[in-house]
Amino acid sequence: MTILTTAAIGAGVIAATLLATQLLPRDVTVLRTAQVQASPGEVIALLASNEGYQKINPYKDSDENLKITLFGPTSGVGSGFHFEGKDGKGSQTVARVTDSSITFNIDMGAMGQPKQIVEVRPSAGGSAVEWRMEADLGRNPIARIFGLFMDRMIGKTLDQGLTNLNTAA
């Protein structure tokens, strides 16, 4: 009887924990901004280019063994790259380009399909750049727990990307 009671309590605790994770946010956004000494057109052209993006790719700074394989057109919608490194493997593809923004679809398989959006506005001496990552964590309880730490994990990467952007532009 004691074993059954203990098992029932354990199962109840697990069920309550899993249920509680569904109260955590499903959608997560990480946002960083910076001033860049380049025009909005120059920033968009750099980011929309396969080779241009590799000049600012923040993951290259933290993973010297990062493998990049370019695909698609050299620039614009459909251009992108496959990656494989210490932070995972997948692909990043330019999904949309306008005069003031660019959207990237990222596919990391079971690890998720976040989007990165970079918006650029003219400002004194160059451009105001907003770089954000958006992810739908679905109903996955582990992903929702990781979502609590997403800003801390991804924010540094976006900051590095903006630093690299300012240097490359």
Side-chain angles (χ1 to χ4, degrees), residues 62-110:
S62 63
D63 186 351
E64 62 187 36
N65 296 316
L66 181 64
K67 295 177 185 166
I68 300 288
T69 307
L70 305 179
F71 64 82
T74 59
S75 185
V77 174
S79 66
F81 59 94
H82 298 286
F83 57 87
E84 185 172 349
K86 69 179 186 175
D87 291 326
K89 66 179 185 175
S91 64
Q92 178 171 306
T93 308
V94 175
R96 183 173 183 256
V97 180
T98 71
D99 290 341
S100 62
S101 71
I102 184 164
T103 301
F104 301 97
N105 289 338
I106 301 170
D107 186 350
M108 296 184 69

Side-chain angles (χ1 to χ4, degrees), residues 1-59:
M1 185 72 140
T2 303
I3 293 173
L4 289 176
T5 303
T6 303
I9 290 172
V13 168
I14 291 171
T17 301
L18 290 174
L19 186 60
T21 63
Q22 297 307 300
L23 299 175
L24 297 173
R26 176 183 179 137
D27 297 308
V28 174
T29 299
V30 178
L31 170 71
R32 295 294 187 270
T33 60
Q35 290 293 117
V36 174
Q37 301 302 314
S39 72
E42 292 170 318
V43 171
I44 295 296
L46 182 67
L47 294 175
S49 161
N50 269 338
E51 290 184 16
Y53 188 89
Q54 296 315 310
K55 292 177 183 176
I56 65 100
N57 187 338
Y59 289 97

